[in-house]
Amino acid sequence: MEDKNKLFDSEFFKILQNLNINIKKSANYGASGARKSRVKGTSVEFSDFREYVPGDDFRRIDWNAYGRFDKYFIKLFMEEREALINIFVDSSKSMSFGEPSKSALALRLAAAFSYIALNNLDRVCINSLKNKELKSIEALSGKLMLQRALSYLKDIEHEGTTDINASIVKKEFNSKGVSIILSDFFTDNGIEETVRYLTYKKQEVILIHILSPEELEPNYFGQVKLVDSETREDRNIILNPSIMKAYKKQLTTFKNSLKESAAKYGASYIEASSEESIDKIILEKFTRNGVVSSVR
């Protein structure tokens, strides 16, 4: 089992410092944040600072802060609202499979999204999915809340099964936002109901499909005993080229069905192998799909 303390070391966060989660719709809820709001008003109540980035109004630079820190900071006011990022982590036993495990990557990506959101003054709510249940922490806000998010992720135990549809429909949404699901999507009844529900609740949906190298390119032949990691049911089969060909065809069909459900409701679908480096997934796949972008 991976040492969860090593999943979130300082090197891990260095690549995330200048990234932002893209949100197509303007935020119109919450307290202060770094996103432009459509909410009209005349409030000039000071809320927070953030570091200046190209494109910001230079008239809002705080010169006193510059004199103290030798860096440019701008003032944020109450018209700028935070976005709410919901992260759903599949906590079923099947996520523990693979070398490295799918769960290790899921936790690292959940931590990455949490860091990026909190670093940009958005709010984060982490939700774990297990069986038909949904367990959530309160929404976190502010950079100092990262440790609480990481502590919650470290305590997640992967066991049992998961019914993503049954779990996520229990989540109540009071505002627009972003919903990110990290899973192998080995769940009953597909995920179209989930994506439809989240879209109805005005969520921008991001599906991160995590599979292990053994699932993507199995290297088994001859007589083997397959054991379902969630139900513990087993089956003895003989793996030959025709069986492997059929497996790969079924896997392609499975992935295509997820892509189709995502496309139908305007969601993003990104596939990742648990052996891929975190920087490749974030800096290449996420940026290419418009999930994150650099703020500098």
Side-chain angles (χ1 to χ4, degrees):
M1 181 178 295
E2 290 86 357
D3 182 350
K4 292 185 179 180
N5 290 313
K6 293 182 179 179
L7 297 178
F8 315 125
D9 56 28
S10 59
E11 291 295 319
F12 167 67
F13 292 108
K14 284 183 179 179
I15 65 172
L16 310 176
Q17 292 178 355
N18 301 321
L19 297 178
N20 187 36
I21 298 173
N22 292 328
I23 300 182
K24 301 169 188 173
K25 306 173 180 121
S26 296
N28 62 354
Y29 44 85
S32 63
R35 299 188 184 276
K36 298 293 184 182
S37 171
R38 291 181 180 173
V39 173
K40 305 299 182 182
T42 57
S43 171
V44 292
E45 181 182 353
F46 172 72
S47 175
D48 205 344
F49 290 99
R50 71 166 167 79
E51 196 167 346
Y52 175 87
V53 297
D56 286 334
D57 187 348
F58 68 89
R59 292 172 297 180
R60 294 170 61 186
I61 292 176
D62 188 282
W63 296 106
N64 290 328
Y66 174 78
R68 293 178 59 191
F69 303 106
D70 199 31
K71 288 185 177 180
Y72 295 113
F73 291 88
I74 66 169
K75 293 180 179 180
L76 299 177
F77 298 92
M78 291 303 289
E79 288 94 339
E80 295 188 291
R81 303 298 175 97
E82 62 192 359
L84 176 58
I85 313 296
N86 267 286
I87 302 170
F88 297 92
V89 181
D90 184 344
S91 303
S92 63
K93 183 63 176 177
S94 70
M95 291 294 290
S96 297
F97 181 75
E99 184 57 45
S101 71
K102 293 177 286 186
S103 60
L105 179 59
L107 294 175
R108 282 170 67 82
L109 289 176
F113 280 119
S114 298
Y115 177 88
I116 294 171
L118 295 173
N119 192 49
N120 286 282
L121 306 181
D122 290 325
R123 289 188 299 151
V124 172
C125 181
I126 301 175
N127 312 267
S128 60
L129 312 174
K130 188 178 299 180
N131 300 319
K132 295 184 178 182
E133 300 303 315
L134 175 77
K135 182 179 179 182
S136 307
I137 59 172
E138 73 279 7
L140 306 175
S141 180
K143 299 177 184 179
L144 296 179
M145 291 293 101
L146 178 63
Q147 288 303 318
R148 184 176 295 183
L150 297 185
S151 295
Y152 180 81
L153 291 171
K154 290 176 183 177
D155 288 341
I156 290 178
E157 297 293 336
H158 291 81
E159 56 191 10
T161 63
T162 187
D163 186 329
I164 292 178
N165 290 331
S167 297
I168 290 185
V169 295
K170 295 178 179 179
K171 180 74 177 182
E172 295 184 1
F173 297 89
N174 298 316
S175 59
K176 299 176 183 177
V178 177
S179 288
I180 302 165
I181 306 177
L182 299 157
S183 175
D184 55 17
F185 295 113
F186 295 155
T187 181
D188 293 334
N189 305 315
I191 61 160
E192 183 165 335
E193 180 182 344
T194 296
V195 181
R196 181 171 61 246
Y197 172 75
L198 292 174
T199 304
Y200 173 74
K201 291 296 183 178
K202 300 180 180 180
Q203 300 296 296
E204 294 186 26
V205 183
I206 302 171
L207 307 177
I208 312 296
H209 190 193
I210 301 174
L211 295 171
S212 70
E214 297 91 334
E215 291 165 337
L216 290 167
E217 292 292 338
N219 190 25
Y220 307 114
F221 290 97
Q223 185 169 340
V224 298
K225 181 178 182 179
L226 300 180
V227 180
D228 188 307
S229 60
E230 295 183 348
T231 66
R232 306 312 300 170
E233 293 180 1
D234 60 73
R235 179 176 297 180
N236 292 307
I237 64 172
I238 297 177
L239 296 180
N240 54 42
S242 62
I243 293 292
M244 298 307 295
K245 183 178 180 180
Y247 167 81
K248 290 186 177 182
K249 182 179 180 180
Q250 188 64 32
L251 178 62
T252 298
T253 300
F254 172 52
K255 291 191 289 186
N256 285 340
S257 69
L258 296 173
K259 293 176 185 177
E260 290 169 4
S261 294
K264 183 176 181 179
Y265 296 97
S268 297
Y269 170 89
I270 299 170
E271 180 189 326
S273 169
S274 61
E275 69 175 352
E276 290 183 274
S277 65
I278 194 79
D279 53 341
K280 178 181 179 181
I281 295 173
I282 294 174
L283 298 179
E284 293 184 19
K285 292 188 173 182
F286 286 3
T287 54
R288 184 169 64 244
N289 285 274
V291 173
V292 300
S293 60
S294 175
V295 295
R296 300 190 183 187

